Structures are given as structure tokens and as C-alpha cells.
Amino acid sequence: MTKLFLGIDLGGTAVKLAIVDEKGRMLEQNSFPNTCPSNPDKIVKEIINNFHKMKNIKKISGTGVGVAGDIDQLKGVVRFSPNLGWKNLDLKRLLKVHLPAPIVVDNDANAAAWGAYWLETEGKIKNFVCVTLGTGIGGGLIIDGKLYRGTTGSAGEIGHMPFEPFGLKCKCGNFGCIERYLGANYLSMQAKETVERCGSKIILKLTNNNLDRITPRILAEAANLGDKLSNNIWRQAGERLGIVLAGVVNLLNPEMIVLAGGVSLAGNLLLKPIKETIKKRAFNTSAKACRIVTSKYNQNLGVVGAALLSK
Amino acid sequence: MTKLFLGIDLGGTAVKLAIVDEKGRMLEQNSFPNTCPSNPDKIVKEIINNFHKMKNIKKISGTGVGVAGDIDQLKGVVRFSPNLGWKNLDLKRLLKVHLPAPIVVDNDANAAAWGAYWLETEGKIKNFVCVTLGTGIGGGLIIDGKLYRGTTGSAGEIGHMPFEPFGLKCKCGNFGCIERYLGANYLSMQAKETVERCGSKIILKLTNNNLDRITPRILAEAANLGDKLSNNIWRQAGERLGIVLAGVVNLLNPEMIVLAGGVSLAGNLLLKPIKETIKKRAFNTSAKACRIVTSKYNQNLGVVGAALLSK
């Protein structure tokens, strides 16, 4: 009999649940808005309610939870989650009386990386990097077929690798982190400023003349409609991320880099300059060995990966 | 009975041999100048001659060789070594009839990292980064207690991670690699230009008024004698490397970073600004978890590590 696993993607705006099989195929799912992130007891109650609405709950052999923040995976404790406002919360303890054991709590980017690894490669390659491009930029590393967590479970913070040594101040305290340039809001801000300076009929039309409405999705739409300014912004964004990833390729010599998250939906607008930059900048042998793709499974990586972490 | 291993550090200017025990303790060693790097048959002959001068050769259970360049470890082939002028040389085949099996050929920075890992930690920690600061900047990663080689054996190229995205052109073809700022010759060149511009009595004295004689060793001596200019150059160098290493700390969350190689002999002049920069720039949890030291075993890391690779 195939084993089933429960995955929970616990985000600041929504909580997703899914039951998946050993290969990450989703059997059922549901979700609810996280209306009160600061009240973990209430969220746990809603998780359990939603879990009990599912059909396959008797066959489940483990539960995995992905949470944005600094997680102690060994203890199942959320050390700090700025998004949720949690500090030293023993999430595993709150969940374990109600949900199928074993319970694994991990960083949401690690969960997404693990999901991407299984969904994109079926676990067939050894060294794999996942970059999640959303409001923030996260990352996860699979080394030798295993999720690599580092010494304190904090590994994979690709978004906080330096792009410019003395560049823009990042909210992590550092300067010039790549997240400060390619995080969704920063990218939108850059686009807004550029349109204000240089003009773009297409973007003005797509936003109904309200440039505060620019999002990476609109920026991609404009680029695909032939808007030069938007195309240039994507080209520059890809080159910037490509420079950082060329360093990652030289350091880790991975077999595959998967880009996931909302900003990655720009597809080739972002992927092409990334590939060109890595080809130009990284060592030949390493660049050739590394396939770079955008994920086909964007929506579900986090919740599927969380489930598979409890395998 | 303790097992013994033969290590060979095959460099562009000298070749070192050593016999070490399982813990990396050196029982005997010898070396010869590499007068003719372009003639591998001649070098192999000299290696064998030198090997036969050693006392413990009957007890050896493996041979490891470290070579500067791009190595296919599975086949024991030197894909490309710019220093030695070798291309697709089957070094393992040349050695295997003459030296104790198994024979392992690896990159010299990987060998040094493996040596540093055993000599500095006795294999007691899991995640470890070694940075070799010499003419070039190399690196090696130990992940989960094993040497991490990546998909094509090319991992660990910390010297070619970006410091400045559009900075000085590196000989690898990329721009702004940290090696282009901290490689021994570049550091000397920077010191020379700065002294020409700003003057330094101490450096002029130490070099007998010939600024072409500046080396990192002299630059460290001058700084230790109180020369402000030299101190500033070390501070800047440490800050630059610290910025790149803060990114490595955020990505890999290692337990220890060891700095080795000639330039690391500057000790605290380099180490202090590196530590300060990492503390300021990397994530708190990761920065706290990571000890950063200069190696106590500089001279022997390559040859000891090479030997231990055949364990």
C-alpha cells in the first residue's frame, strides 16, 4: 500500500494543507486564510479542523510543516518568524497531539526546495539548488540527495548573498543582498520609478494610470506586449540574479537550479538573461553541468515538500 | 597496526611527498623542485624515485595526489591545469603501476580542505569550509563529514565568487571575483600603487626602495611595525573577503571556516576584519554558529590532505 503524508504550508496570509503520496502526487488539499497570524493556538485549531475535513486521514504516516522563518528542525521550534510574529514557539508540541506522527517542522524555503527536488527530478539527481522568488528570496539546497540544513538549520539563504558589496540596505541589516533588488516589492518599486522617469504607455494602461499597482506579473505582461522598458528591467534583474547564481555555481557545482515563486512566473524574461550570465561568468565545466529551469509546480512546492519531509 | 598513506602535493614550482598515519600525523616527507612542469613523465619518474627513498613504503595502503586544476576524480584525470600546462592527462594511469593503490587524484584545494578538516577538527564537525589564500584563491567544502566535490568535481571555487558585480576583470573571464582583489599578486600590486601614491617609509625601507618587492609577507610585516597604510590595506582586504564569506555563511551555515595559504599568515590583520564583517553582515544565528580561524598547519595541509583522501 502506498504511504500518504500530510503537508502544511503555514504562511503569513494563507495556510494550505495537502495529502500527498510518496512521489509527491497530491490526493487532496484545502486551505484557509491566516486572518490572525499572531495567535498560534487559533491557527492550530483551524489546521486541525481543516485536517478533519479530509478523506484520507487514517492512512497518513507523517506530517510536515513549512513555516517562513528561522526554524530549529531538531526540536520543531520556530525560533523566529518575522512574517508571523512568532518567537521561540514550540509548534511541534502544539501539533503533535492532534496530527499524525512523526511531525517535522522546517523552513518554508527548505520545504519548497524539497518539493521541487522530488517533483522536478523524482529524486534522480544528487546536487540541486532551489531559489524561491517572492516577496523575499529564499533558497534550499539538496546535497547528495539530502536536504542540506547546515549547522543550525539556517542554510540556503540565497536571497542574502551579496549582489553589490556596498549596495542598498536590506532589511536583514546587510547591504546589497540580491533580495533587495529582486524581491517582488523592490522590483515593482524599481519599475514604478523607471516608468515615472521614462514613461511607458503599456504599463500606464495595464495599471489604469496608477503606478502603485505595478506588480511583477504586470511587468511581465507589459514585457510580453513588447514594452521595452519592462524588458530592460527583466533583463537587468536576470543579469543581477545570474551574477549571484554564477557564484553559487562556482561554489556548489550543482546539477540543476530551479527557480520558483511568483516572480519566476516571468519565465524566459528572467530565465534567459540568468542563463546567459551564468554561461558568461561561471567556470565552463560547472556552467555546462548545470541545468537552470523555472518550476512547473510553483503553487504546490511548499505544501508537497513539507509533506515529503516527513517521509 | 596503524595504516599509512602516501600524499603527493603536485605544484607548479615544487612537488612534495609525505607518509602520514590515519590521523594525518606526518611520519616522513621529502620534496623536489618541479623544474619541468610540462613533462609529466619526467615528474612521475622523480616522484617514484623520491618515494623509493622513503622508509615506510611497504606499509602504505593508498596514495593521494593533489593537483592544481580541473580534475576528474572518478577517472583520476587532470582535465586542465593552467599552472602545469596539462590537458586531459590520465595521471592515475601513469602512477598506478608504481605507487600503492588505491590512487586518488583530486584538486589541490580539495586536498588542502580535507587536510585542514582532519588536522584542525579531527573530523569532529560536520560542515566545514576551507579557503586557501595564495597566488590564487581556492576553496574546499566538507558537507556532512565528507568532501563535497559537486556534479563534475568542480565545487569549492570560492575565489571566483563575485565581490563586485562589475568589478575588475579576472583571468577566469568573469568580473569582480574576490581572487582579483585578494590573490597574492593583486594584493601586492594594490599595495605598490598605494605606496606610490601616498608614501610609506616603512614599506620603502622593507623593500629597499624597490616596490616591486612588495609581497603579502612584507605588507604584514609593515602593518605589524605600525604602518598605517599597510594596516588599511589589510583591513580593506579582510572586509572584502568578509563580504563574500558572509554570503557563504548565509548559504552554507558552516560550523567552521579555516583560512589557509600564504596570505593567511597575516593572521589577525586579515582575520579580525573578516570576523567583524561576517558578524555585521551575515544572519545572526549563522554568524554565531561559525568559528573562523587561520590554519596552524599551513605548510602541510595539501600533502596531508592528499594522503588522507586515499583512506
Side-chain angles (χ1 to χ4, degrees):
Chain A
M1 204 186 78
T2 46
K3 284 186 177 178
L4 301 181
F5 305 91
L6 173 65
I8 303 168
D9 184 359
L10 210 168
T13 53
V15 180
K16 284 190 208 172
L17 285 81
I19 293 176
V20 312
D21 69 9
E22 283 174 307
K23 292 200 163 168
R25 283 174 298 213
M26 209 185 268
L27 275 76
E28 53 178 318
Q29 59 172 315
N30 65 43
S31 66
F32 60 90
N34 190 351
T35 47
C36 191
S38 59
N39 187 342
D41 289 315
K42 190 161 171 287
I43 295 173
V44 166
K45 206 176 267 181
E46 283 206 64
I47 287 174
I48 294 156
N49 283 343
N50 274 266
F51 172 63
H52 284 291
K53 288 179 198 160
M54 296 176 115
K55 289 175 209 151
N56 297 281
I57 59 176
K58 288 201 174 150
K59 302 174 200 157
I60 290 173
S61 8
T63 302
V65 193
V67 185
D70 182 10
I71 313 294
D72 182 333
Q73 297 98 347
L74 287 177
K75 298 185 183 157
V77 167
V78 179
R79 282 196 205 107
F80 181 49
S81 170
N83 284 13
L84 295 159
W86 295 353
K87 216 168 175 177
N88 293 319
L89 178 78
D90 193 339
L91 188 61
K92 189 172 171 175
R93 193 182 55 77
L94 289 180
L95 295 173
K96 75 177 173 188
V97 280
H98 307 287
L99 297 175
I103 290 180
V104 177
V105 181
D106 209 324
N107 176 273
D108 61 344
N110 278 352
W114 194 235
Y117 177 62
W118 284 99
L119 292 176
E120 301 282 347
T121 79
E122 297 179 0
K124 280 180 185 155
I125 71 173
K126 287 195 157 187
N127 306 312
F128 176 95
V129 173
C130 180
V131 187
T132 44
L133 300 160
T135 310
I137 296 185
L141 309 175
I142 279 72
I143 301 273
D144 212 11
K146 288 183 293 188
L147 181 62
Y148 174 74
R149 293 182 168 105
T151 303
T152 55
S154 321
E157 292 289 356
I158 290 172
H160 301 278
M161 299 189 75
F163 162 64
E164 284 221 82
F166 304 101
L168 299 168
K169 176 142 194 177
C170 180
K171 64 179 191 229
C172 78
N174 195 353
F175 291 87
C177 296
I178 187 65
E179 174 172 302
R180 185 58 186 78
Y181 298 82
L182 255 74
N185 298 336
Y186 298 118
L187 204 58
S188 305
M189 210 158 70
Q190 186 197 347
K192 185 189 167 191
E193 284 164 13
T194 316
V195 176
E196 281 169 350
R197 221 172 41 242
C198 312
S200 154
K201 279 186 193 165
I202 294 178
I203 289 194
L204 285 168
K205 197 176 161 199
L206 290 172
T207 57
N208 276 327
N209 293 310
N210 179 355
L211 292 179
D212 288 328
R213 287 188 191 158
I214 297 182
T215 58
R217 201 181 54 72
I218 285 177
L219 197 63
E221 202 180 334
N224 288 327
L225 289 168
D227 182 53
K228 267 198 184 163
L229 177 148
S230 306
N231 262 296
N232 286 341
I233 290 176
W234 282 115
R235 165 151 292 282
Q236 187 187 48
E239 198 179 335
R240 286 170 165 175
L241 183 54
I243 287 171
V244 173
L245 290 179
V248 173
V249 166
N250 279 346
L251 184 69
L252 295 181
N253 184 203
E255 198 168 336
M256 193 174 187
I257 298 178
V258 168
L259 309 175
V263 175
S264 78
L265 297 174
N268 267 326
L269 293 167
L270 189 64
L271 195 57
K272 201 166 160 258
I274 288 176
K275 282 184 177 176
E276 285 168 8
T277 304
I278 290 177
K279 193 178 166 194
K280 223 178 343 184
R281 287 186 174 246
F283 278 28
N284 233 326
T285 312
S286 295
K288 272 189 196 160
C290 184
R291 210 148 64 85
I292 303 148
V293 300
T294 51
S295 175
K296 297 182 290 290
Y297 305 93
N298 246 306
Q299 296 300 315
N300 303 322
L301 293 179
V303 71
V304 169
L308 293 177
L309 280 171
S310 70
K311 261 217 300 196
Chain B
M1 204 188 77
T2 46
K3 284 188 177 178
L4 301 182
F5 305 90
L6 172 65
I8 302 168
D9 184 358
L10 210 166
T13 53
V15 180
K16 283 191 208 172
L17 285 81
I19 293 175
V20 312
D21 70 9
E22 283 174 306
K23 291 201 164 168
R25 283 174 297 215
M26 210 185 268
L27 275 75
E28 52 178 320
Q29 59 172 313
N30 66 43
S31 65
F32 60 91
N34 189 351
T35 47
C36 192
S38 59
N39 187 341
D41 289 314
K42 190 162 171 287
I43 295 173
V44 167
K45 206 177 266 180
E46 282 206 66
I47 286 173
I48 295 156
N49 283 342
N50 274 267
F51 172 62
H52 284 290
K53 288 181 199 159
M54 296 175 116
K55 287 175 208 149
N56 296 281
I57 59 176
K58 290 203 172 147
K59 302 174 201 157
I60 290 173
S61 8
T63 302
V65 194
V67 185
D70 182 10
I71 313 293
D72 182 334
Q73 297 98 345
L74 287 176
K75 297 186 183 157
V77 166
V78 179
R79 281 195 205 108
F80 180 49
S81 170
N83 284 12
L84 295 158
W86 295 353
K87 215 168 176 178
N88 293 320
L89 178 78
D90 192 340
L91 187 61
K92 189 172 173 177
R93 194 182 54 77
L94 289 180
L95 295 173
K96 75 177 173 190
V97 281
H98 308 287
L99 297 175
I103 290 180
V104 177
V105 181
D106 210 323
N107 176 274
D108 61 342
N110 278 353
W114 195 235
Y117 176 63
W118 283 100
L119 292 175
E120 300 283 346
T121 79
E122 297 179 0
K124 280 180 186 155
I125 70 173
K126 288 195 157 186
N127 307 312
F128 176 93
V129 173
C130 180
V131 187
T132 45
L133 300 160
T135 310
I137 297 184
L141 309 176
I142 280 73
I143 301 273
D144 211 10
K146 288 183 294 189
L147 181 62
Y148 173 74
R149 293 182 169 106
T151 303
T152 56
S154 320
E157 292 290 356
I158 291 172
H160 301 278
M161 298 189 76
F163 162 63
E164 283 221 83
F166 303 101
L168 299 168
K169 175 142 194 177
C170 180
K171 65 178 190 226
C172 78
N174 196 351
F175 291 86
C177 296
I178 187 65
E179 174 172 302
R180 183 59 187 79
Y181 298 81
L182 255 73
N185 297 337
Y186 298 117
L187 204 58
S188 305
M189 210 157 70
Q190 185 198 348
K192 185 188 167 191
E193 284 164 13
T194 317
V195 176
E196 280 170 351
R197 219 170 42 240
C198 312
S200 153
K201 278 186 194 166
I202 294 179
I203 288 194
L204 284 168
K205 197 176 161 200
L206 290 172
T207 58
N208 276 326
N209 293 309
N210 179 356
L211 292 179
D212 289 326
R213 286 188 192 158
I214 297 182
T215 58
R217 202 182 53 73
I218 285 176
L219 197 62
E221 203 182 333
N224 288 326
L225 288 168
D227 183 53
K228 267 197 186 163
L229 178 148
S230 307
N231 261 296
N232 286 341
I233 290 176
W234 283 114
R235 165 150 293 282
Q236 186 186 47
E239 199 179 337
R240 286 170 165 176
L241 184 55
I243 286 171
V244 173
L245 291 179
V248 173
V249 165
N250 279 347
L251 185 69
L252 294 181
N253 185 204
E255 197 167 338
M256 191 174 188
I257 297 178
V258 169
L259 308 175
V263 175
S264 78
L265 297 174
N268 267 326
L269 292 167
L270 190 63
L271 195 57
K272 202 166 160 257
I274 288 177
K275 282 183 178 176
E276 285 168 8
T277 304
I278 290 177
K279 193 178 166 195
K280 223 179 341 185
R281 288 187 174 245
F283 277 29
N284 233 325
T285 312
S286 295
K288 270 189 196 159
C290 184
R291 211 149 63 84
I292 303 149
V293 301
T294 51
S295 175
K296 297 183 291 289
Y297 306 93
N298 245 307
Q299 297 299 314
N300 302 323
L301 293 179
V303 71
V304 168
L308 294 178
L309 280 171
S310 70
K311 261 216 300 195

